[in-house]
Amino acid sequence: MKNFLKFFFLLLIRKIKINLNLPNQRDLIIFDNTSFEDLENILKTRDYFILKVRINEIDEIFLNLQIIKQIFKNFLRYKSRKQKTRNILWSSYLISLIILLRPKLVISHIDNSKKFSEISKILNNKIKFLTIQNAARYDLIIEKNNSNEMDKFYIQNFCCFGDYEIELYKSLNIQVDNFYKVGSIRKSNFFNYIKKKEIYLNKNLYDLSVLLESPLQVPKLKNNVEHFVLPLKYSIKYSVEKNLKPIFIGRFQNIDDHIKYFKD
């Protein structure tokens, strides 16, 4: 009862629209609208439904007798399995909606999503799930060494960057049924963009390219920021010694977001 009260209280507070009709059945469901812009090029000719899963992004809930029955059924399933989840009611809702929409494939570009892992494991024998790598996963190594959360992490089908990721996930004993080496979608989008805009790249403009990462928020890890600042320090030192012209590429559009980490 407590979970149900929290759920409906959230609907009232956030003024979320309640739709009594389910979405039309689609062959594709995009799980989580975050980073959806990275998938637009490969989905532009497809018919898909975007399933928003983050509470702060939710603007509509699908709720009728059919889905309520399914939610109750999945809620009891969680209870009987004593399966740990951050929000059992919300997980039951997401699973219910996916089951009722009967997609051929559910895709997520948030490859470290524990919610997607949890749901794909539960529906493993009913629906196909595809995880597309979003970023380098140094965080998996850190999290594996600091908690046991990754022991239950599961990926059904994984489109990863390359061989390194395959070896990494195997070495960490993370269950992945199928690996597919596809490279980076963002890199592909970049080259599609410059081709479309007919932008010329001067390959001799810089000698060294340095990718800047933002520090991971891992409470138990000491000197967390320093680990991510060191590559920047060494690349500057190396460029000076070798008289190279470097360019620093950040993951954030706003340079101030990087400067706040590296200013010291």
Side-chain angles (χ1 to χ4, degrees):
M1 180 60 71
K2 185 178 180 180
N3 286 292
F4 283 94
L5 290 175
K6 284 183 178 180
F7 182 75
F8 288 109
F9 181 71
L10 181 65
L11 294 181
L12 294 173
I13 293 297
R14 289 187 51 81
K15 297 181 180 178
I16 297 174
K17 176 184 175 182
I18 297 179
N19 193 332
L20 299 179
N21 298 310
L22 292 177
N24 295 328
Q25 194 273 329
R26 309 286 176 86
D27 288 342
L28 281 177
I29 288 181
I30 310 303
F31 188 94
D32 198 337
N33 61 308
T34 304
S35 291
F36 170 73
E37 64 275 6
D38 295 326
L39 303 176
E40 288 185 284
N41 279 335
I42 63 174
L43 295 174
K44 55 187 176 183
T45 61
R46 306 283 184 176
D47 187 25
Y48 54 83
F49 171 73
I50 300 177
L51 178 57
K52 295 181 179 181
V53 301
R54 304 187 187 218
I55 299 301
N56 63 321
E57 294 283 344
I58 301 298
D59 54 13
E60 182 179 33
I61 291 287
F62 299 94
L63 212 57
N64 58 22
L65 184 59
Q66 186 181 16
I67 196 169
I68 289 174
K69 288 181 179 179
Q70 190 69 48
I71 289 172
F72 185 68
K73 179 180 178 181
N74 289 312
F75 185 85
L76 294 179
R77 181 188 300 176
Y78 267 106
K79 286 292 188 181
S80 63
R81 290 183 177 184
K82 296 182 180 179
Q83 188 166 348
K84 291 184 178 181
T85 180
R86 287 186 63 183
N87 191 320
I88 186 172
L89 185 58
W90 184 240
S91 295
S92 299
Y93 167 79
L94 293 174
I95 290 173
S96 300
L97 192 55
I98 291 172
I99 289 174
L100 292 173
L101 290 180
R102 293 179 287 115
K104 292 181 180 178
L105 182 65
V106 182
I107 301 175
S108 176
H109 192 215
I110 310 302
D111 55 294
N112 60 347
S113 168
K114 291 184 175 64
K115 187 63 68 178
F116 189 70
S117 168
E118 171 191 319
I119 290 175
S120 61
K121 194 169 188 177
I122 291 173
L123 297 178
N124 182 39
N125 296 322
K126 295 182 179 180
I127 296 171
K128 290 184 178 180
F129 290 82
L130 179 67
T131 301
I132 301 176
Q133 187 169 357
N134 186 294
R137 286 299 162 212
Y138 313 116
D139 53 324
L140 294 182
I141 303 173
I142 297 170
E143 190 165 355
K144 184 76 173 181
N145 293 332
N146 288 276
S147 74
N148 59 0
E149 286 292 316
M150 297 309 300
D151 293 342
K152 298 179 181 179
F153 199 77
Y154 168 74
I155 297 178
Q156 188 186 99
N157 296 288
F158 190 24
C159 290
C160 61
F161 291 165
D163 290 323
Y164 171 78
E165 282 70 29
I166 296 175
E167 294 303 318
L168 173 64
Y169 280 70
K170 287 181 177 179
S171 68
L172 296 176
N173 294 318
I174 296 175
Q175 184 181 353
V176 180
D177 289 348
N178 302 293
F179 287 99
Y180 303 95
K181 295 181 289 184
V182 300
S184 168
I185 283 185
R186 290 195 180 101
K187 180 180 177 181
S188 176
N189 288 339
F190 169 74
F191 284 109
N192 282 334
Y193 176 80
I194 63 173
K195 182 178 180 180
K196 181 179 179 180
K197 298 293 182 179
E198 298 182 345
I199 298 173
Y200 171 73
L201 293 180
N202 186 346
K203 297 181 181 180
N204 299 316
L205 191 58
Y206 298 100
D207 302 309
L208 178 67
S209 175
V210 183
L211 298 176
L212 302 180
E213 286 282 356
S214 58
L216 302 172
Q217 302 303 314
V218 184
K220 295 182 181 180
L221 184 66
K222 295 181 179 179
N223 302 320
N224 186 22
V225 175
E226 182 66 15
H227 293 161
F228 286 85
V229 172
L230 283 176
L232 176 62
K233 289 182 177 179
Y234 289 138
S235 60
I236 293 174
K237 182 179 179 181
Y238 180 77
S239 297
V240 172
E241 290 177 353
K242 301 296 182 180
N243 195 28
L244 301 177
K245 188 177 180 181
I247 181 173
F248 300 94
I249 303 173
R251 63 177 298 181
F252 301 118
Q253 291 182 353
N254 189 345
I255 188 63
D256 291 336
D257 291 333
H258 273 292
I259 290 176
K260 71 180 181 181
Y261 290 122
F262 302 130
K263 61 183 178 181
D264 296 331

